Amino acid sequence: RDEEVRRTAPHLNRSHVSETLNFMASIENQRGRYDEAIAKCTEALEIYEKHLGKKHDHYGTTLSNLAGYYATRNAPGDRAFAVELGEQAVQILSKNSPAYAQAMNNLVLYYSLSGDMVKAQKYSKQALQAMKGMNKNTVSYATILSKHGVRLANAGNYEQALEYAREAIGIYEANDETQSLNFARLLSNTASFEKHMEHYAEAIELWQRAAPIYAKIEGESSSGYLNCMSEISAAHTRTGNLEQAANISEQLQSTVSQQ
């Protein structure tokens, strides 16, 4: 009801409505409700377009957010559309703003996820340049580092990817932001990098941290939780801890059968 009032009351600042919708979209995305996130972000974008125009930084930032939700949902055509929206966003945003640096790094990730490593590499250099003026102690900066880590891992550079990912984890921890879906994904990605470097003990520890976050936010039937537990079991097998691997496999089978 409050949300409806905010949308329809003529005396309210329309930017406040868009800010609320953007915040709600972020929450929906963290919960894995990507369709809802896209719908709310699209509504915010339409309000900004009507009241501020398509050249305003708020419009560009929201456009970049929307690209991220499409990339995360990953339905057919979503990642190509994310690239298109991301390209539009970096053309709008002020080049010396943190929002531009964030949008540029997002674009690197979208190209990487879509398999265009040439474009990813091209924009990566620009993204690193844009990051130089950012506050390096913020979660926004950590998010950028995390996305760079994914891009590097996709290119097979796991050692450099780990450096970015570990730094990002430290920033999240310093800001006491360790119970979000974004942090769980960062932990999972870092664990995957550790696995490729054959650092199985480190990988197991990271998946063990990520699993309860996925379970709390998305439930034990979520792909995030199940993937973590499956990877932990596989890592135990690789290190010869067959009993522990079997215990986790049994736990997984029990969880799946109860769904």
Side-chain angles (χ1 to χ4, degrees):
R1 185 176 179 179
D2 290 342
E3 181 184 343
E4 183 62 26
V5 169
R6 290 182 69 86
R7 283 195 175 101
T8 58
H11 63 284
L12 289 177
N13 186 324
R14 306 310 296 173
S15 291
H16 292 170
V17 178
S18 297
E19 290 168 7
T20 300
L21 288 167
N22 266 323
F23 175 76
M24 294 172 65
S26 175
I27 296 299
E28 296 289 13
N29 186 62
Q30 290 181 23
R31 292 173 175 169
R33 299 172 59 179
Y34 307 123
D35 291 344
E36 291 85 349
I38 288 170
K40 292 186 185 303
C41 191
T42 299
E43 186 175 355
L45 193 69
E46 290 170 350
I47 294 172
Y48 279 136
E49 179 181 354
K50 181 177 180 180
H51 294 275
L52 298 177
K54 290 186 175 182
K55 295 184 178 180
H56 198 281
D57 272 7
H58 288 343
Y59 183 87
T61 299
T62 303
L63 198 65
S64 181
N65 292 343
L66 183 60
Y69 302 147
Y70 274 107
T72 305
R73 187 178 69 173
N74 194 27
D78 275 358
R79 286 184 172 169
F81 192 44
V83 166
E84 180 182 336
L85 295 177
E87 286 276 12
Q88 293 176 32
V90 298
Q91 295 302 317
I92 294 168
L93 291 164
S94 302
K95 300 298 185 288
N96 60 347
S97 68
Y100 173 79
Q102 179 74 62
M104 184 63 72
N105 278 274
N106 289 343
L107 188 55
V108 172
L109 178 62
Y110 307 151
Y111 272 119
S112 179
L113 291 172
S114 65
D116 191 339
M117 302 311 297
V118 173
K119 284 285 184 69
Q121 184 64 30
K122 171 188 172 183
Y123 282 105
S124 180
K125 294 177 181 178
Q126 297 179 41
L128 288 170
Q129 184 66 30
M131 288 170 64
K132 289 183 178 180
M134 292 187 67
N135 184 342
K136 295 179 172 56
N137 298 315
T138 64
V139 170
S140 294
Y141 185 77
T143 301
I144 291 174
L145 289 176
S146 175
K147 290 175 179 178
H148 264 299
V150 171
R151 196 270 302 170
L152 288 164
N154 287 341
N157 189 347
Y158 294 105
E159 185 172 358
Q160 184 67 57
L162 270 174
E163 289 185 22
Y164 280 117
R166 288 168 179 166
E167 184 177 353
I169 289 172
I171 295 171
Y172 268 93
E173 291 171 338
N175 283 275
D176 197 25
E177 293 284 347
T178 58
Q179 294 302 311
S180 68
L181 200 55
N182 284 339
F183 186 65
R185 289 170 178 153
L186 170 59
L187 293 173
S188 298
N189 288 336
T190 310
S192 178
F193 307 159
E194 296 280 14
K195 179 186 74 172
H196 279 90
M197 297 291 291
E198 299 186 357
H199 302 159
Y200 296 111
E202 292 85 349
I204 289 170
E205 180 181 354
L206 290 164
W207 280 314
Q208 286 175 333
R209 292 182 64 187
I213 301 174
Y214 282 119
K216 180 179 179 181
I217 297 174
E218 296 185 321
E220 291 189 352
S221 62
S222 68
S223 61
Y225 175 80
L226 295 175
N227 286 340
C228 281
M229 299 305 291
S230 177
E231 291 283 12
I232 292 170
S233 178
H236 278 305
T237 300
R238 292 295 298 270
T239 58
N241 193 344
L242 301 183
E243 182 178 356
Q244 187 65 20
N247 290 338
I248 294 172
S249 292
E250 290 177 7
Q251 180 183 339
L252 269 174
Q253 291 173 8
S254 175
T255 300
V256 172
S257 65
Q258 292 174 13
Q259 304 306 320

